[in-house]
Amino acid sequence: MPADLLITNARIFTATSGPTAEALAVRGSRIVFVGSAAGAHAWRDPKTRLIDAGGRTLMPGFIDSHFHLLWGSLELCAAQLGEVRTLDDLGQVLLAYADDHPDQEWVHGQGLIYLTPPSISPLPLGMGDPTPLREGVRGLTRHHLDAIIAHRPVAVTAYDGHTVWANTLALKKAGILHGGVVGPGSEIVMGADGRATGELRERGASHYVDDLIPEPTEPEKRALLHRGLKLAASLGITSVHNMDGEMEQLTRYMALEDTGELTLRIYVPYTIRPETPIEALSEAVEMAQANPGEMARGGAVKFFMDGVIESYTALMLDDYTGAPGNKGSALFTAEHFTRMATEADRLGLQIFVHAIGDAAVRRTLDGYESARRTNGKRDSRHRVEHIEVVHPDDLPRFAGLGVIASMQPLHAPLSVSGYDLWPSRVGVERWDRSFAWNLVRNAGAKLVFGSDWPVVSQSPIRGLHAALNRQPWQEGLANHRQTLEQALLAYTRDAAYAEFKEHEKGMLKPGYLADLVLLSEDIFEVPPEEIERVHPEMTMVDGRVVFEK
């Protein structure tokens, strides 16, 4: 039988070896041929669509191993603060958003970096002075936001989703201007005057404000989700491992699959919070059994072990630099996590754990090791997400336990100067084991890459740029720069392995799913420092073109 689509004259990266093939044929939802141009002729007839790739790279579709599809899509309706670098920038964007949305009570922005001096200018006269937050470091406060907009409640979410800043009116509406009860690992930062500064760390504190911001209507949610899907297709993303979820969210994607509107494959976990009862794991099992289709499925659970470095909520083995006695905090005690993880493992579920600090990574690995002792060894492929700092003693444990390291290239600061305060929080003594891609890889761990959208850009090409161009922050430190093939495999073949789908996708082989992307040029001929100029020309999912320029 002839092929539906035949691509020739391509430099094909199959993810099984280097770019050796030059033609590929697709029939239905599967690849039926990968090989030479001469061999491709047998798959052609007058109805076959022919594409001459002109020497451009054809490769497996990008698999983003750490993604938040619904959250990121819904955030597209907020003021976009990803390019804000100063308080003046913040004021301009928020005021413009407020003017464009006069009927909305709340002014909500998302994607803000952690602003610190000199990016925060002095407050206007009469606005008061922000209280020092940590060891003399001043950060964004309600006073700064009041100076921008005081007559409407304002909530600004950090790019990582772990901090919310609110103005005075928002704090009053939430009933926490004078503090409140918070969950584990969370904090309403208080000033010396006994009132909240406006900084709300982690969900246990920020929910007071978040829960007051009106949700989009159901039609609006659907439209925003389509925007998120369209963006992913344009960037060459064909699969994502979602990092939050429950049956309701999976059902939403299954409905889109039924109508042919789901344009990427999505693996949805069940989110386990500190208050989640162990009996609720039954819902995760139901999700694993819910959908026999190819596009949306369950089978995993997701924990948050700690917070983030920037707000001192990541759990560290040693004190933060410049903050004696502060090692951060955990959302789960060791005993609590081990009990929940052991039961999830017994039920055959894969486990994802957000663990940023080195102590959080160790606690997660300890839990996995305990689960194995209790339940016996199996091909569980449990994962640690982020691993921003890791202790050398824990590196060999990844391979020993069969644990996957899921990391995000765009999270690693390119330098120790400028606005990013991450390096100063952990201190020079931990730089050598920060975002330690090659230490993790060389210890034998399976390393996969993702974005954590909307924390950073979805773009895998930007992720490749970060991976290929990273430099040591100080002379003499380990070099974690990746080769192009290493980075591509972390976004394709190895990412498929991380979701138990290495026999169906992540490589271009006959019989595999037709999830692929045609790039704008031969990526193997592009200098690493210019890799961001590359872009997808066509994205195919399940044998269907979902994006084409």
Side-chain angles (χ1 to χ4, degrees):
M1 291 180 64
D4 299 318
L5 174 73
L6 183 60
I7 301 175
T8 61
N9 193 22
R11 193 164 189 212
I12 300 179
F13 176 69
T14 63
T16 60
S17 60
T20 53
E22 57 185 346
L24 178 144
V26 173
R27 186 169 62 224
S29 64
R30 300 278 171 169
I31 298 167
V32 292
F33 171 81
V34 180
S36 66
H41 289 300
W43 298 96
R44 177 178 175 181
D45 85 350
K47 294 182 180 179
T48 301
R49 181 184 176 188
L50 299 176
I51 295 178
D52 183 341
R56 293 171 290 172
T57 293
L58 179 69
M59 60 172 283
F62 289 104
I63 301 173
D64 191 312
S65 295
H66 195 110
F67 206 81
H68 299 273
L69 178 57
L70 184 60
W71 171 35
S73 298
L74 296 185
E75 290 288 352
L76 292 172
C77 69
Q80 301 300 300
L81 307 176
E83 301 303 316
V84 166
R85 294 294 177 267
T86 68
L87 188 63
D88 289 342
D89 293 343
L90 177 62
Q92 291 178 23
V93 176
L94 290 180
L95 286 169
Y97 181 87
D99 288 343
D100 290 341
H101 300 82
D103 297 330
Q104 290 185 188
E105 178 188 12
W106 284 78
V107 177
H108 179 213
Q110 75 86 27
L112 185 66
I113 64 168
Y114 288 79
L115 293 175
T116 58
S119 59
I120 297 180
S121 56
L123 288 166
L125 289 175
M127 290 307 301
D129 189 39
T131 303
L133 300 179
R134 285 288 188 275
E135 297 298 316
V137 176
R138 296 176 186 269
L140 189 66
T141 70
R142 61 184 172 91
H143 302 293
H144 294 104
L145 296 177
D146 289 344
I148 299 170
I149 300 172
H151 63 285
R152 290 167 69 178
V154 176
V156 172
T157 304
Y159 73 96
D160 55 23
H162 287 265
T163 301
V164 169
W165 295 275
N167 70 353
T168 301
L169 183 55
L171 294 170
K172 287 180 178 178
K173 284 183 172 292
I176 56 171
L177 182 59
H178 299 282
V181 177
V182 300
S186 302
E187 181 183 6
I188 299 172
V189 179
M190 303 300 292
D193 59 358
R195 293 189 289 179
T197 68
E199 184 174 353
L200 309 173
R201 297 177 175 175
E202 302 300 332
R203 173 66 182 165
S206 64
H207 77 88
Y208 285 103
V209 167
D210 288 337
D211 292 348
L212 295 179
I213 301 172
E215 279 196 2
T217 64
E218 193 56 39
E220 289 170 340
K221 284 183 179 180
R222 192 178 184 90
L224 289 166
L225 188 52
H226 276 286
R227 283 178 59 186
L229 289 168
K230 185 177 180 181
L231 176 59
S234 73
L235 296 172
I237 299 170
T238 57
S239 292
V240 298
H241 305 165
N242 219 53
M243 286 294 136
D244 60 273
E246 67 292 302
M247 181 63 83
E248 181 182 357
Q249 193 173 156
L250 177 59
T251 301
R252 181 184 297 275
Y253 302 134
M254 289 165 56
L256 290 175
E257 179 179 357
D258 289 343
T259 57
E261 298 172 80
L262 189 59
T263 52
L264 52 68
R265 303 182 196 278
I266 182 164
Y267 185 26
V268 185
Y270 176 73
T271 300
I272 298 177
R273 298 179 174 86
E275 65 273 16
T276 301
I278 199 165
E279 295 78 16
L281 289 172
S282 61
E283 183 170 328
V285 175
E286 291 173 15
M287 290 171 66
Q289 301 168 347
N291 189 24
E294 294 283 0
M295 300 296 289
R297 65 190 181 94
V301 292
K302 167 70 183 298
F303 292 81
F304 281 85
M305 183 61 73
D306 64 348
V308 293
I309 298 292
E310 290 87 343
S311 62
Y312 298 98
T313 55
L315 186 65
M316 308 297 287
L317 291 169
D318 300 304
D319 295 348
Y320 282 90
T321 298
N326 187 359
K327 292 183 173 66
S329 54
L331 278 71
F332 286 86
T333 65
E335 185 278 332
H336 187 188
F337 172 70
T338 296
R339 179 165 54 87
M340 297 293 286
T342 299
E343 178 62 7
D345 178 74
R346 187 188 70 80
L347 293 169
L349 298 164
Q350 189 180 22
I351 304 173
F352 310 153
V353 180
H354 165 118
I356 282 184
D358 49 8
V361 173
R362 177 168 294 179
R363 183 170 295 184
T364 301
L365 293 172
D366 288 346
Y368 290 159
E369 188 170 10
S370 181
R372 174 180 283 194
R373 283 196 303 267
T374 301
N375 299 328
K377 183 178 179 179
R378 70 179 181 90
D379 184 16
S380 59
R381 305 188 196 181
H382 298 324
R383 298 166 43 154
V384 185
E385 308 293 325
H386 304 308
I387 320 170
E388 294 190 359
V389 186
V390 62
H391 193 279
D393 292 349
D394 292 315
L395 288 167
R397 301 178 69 194
F398 283 86
L401 293 168
V403 172
I404 292 165
S406 173
M407 304 177 78
Q408 299 75 43
L410 283 171
H411 282 194
L414 289 178
S415 71
V416 295
S417 59
Y419 60 83
D420 201 319
L421 52 76
W422 196 101
S424 65
R425 288 282 194 265
V426 301
V428 177
E429 66 276 11
R430 284 182 281 228
W431 285 358
D432 209 33
R433 49 192 178 92
S434 298
F435 302 98
W437 306 328
N438 281 335
L439 289 181
V440 170
R441 186 188 292 282
N442 294 340
K446 184 79 72 174
L447 177 63
V448 300
F449 282 159
S451 66
D452 200 9
W453 186 70
V455 172
V456 296
S457 166
Q458 288 189 20
S459 172
I461 297 296
R462 290 187 63 183
L464 291 176
H465 181 271
L468 270 57
N469 291 283
R470 183 172 169 192
Q471 300 295 328
W473 294 341
Q474 183 174 278
E475 187 175 352
L477 295 183
N479 193 332
H480 295 294
R481 185 171 62 248
Q482 304 287 284
T483 68
L484 177 58
E485 184 166 353
Q486 284 175 329
L488 288 176
L489 290 176
Y491 277 112
T492 55
R493 184 196 69 189
D494 296 342
Y497 176 89
E499 58 165 314
F500 296 92
K501 288 292 184 179
E502 72 273 21
H503 300 300
E504 286 210 273
K505 63 180 180 179
M507 294 180 278
L508 300 184
K509 297 171 63 176
Y512 274 54
L513 291 164
D515 296 356
L516 48 89
V517 58
L518 179 63
L519 300 178
S520 57
E521 54 190 298
D522 181 358
I523 197 171
F524 289 90
E525 297 298 325
V526 177
E529 62 274 13
E530 298 177 23
I531 206 79
E532 282 190 291
R533 79 183 190 212
V534 178
H535 57 270
E537 294 280 352
M538 183 186 77
T539 304
M540 172 174 279
V541 177
D542 208 41
R544 177 164 59 109
V545 174
V546 296
F547 168 78
E548 191 166 15
K549 290 199 72 173

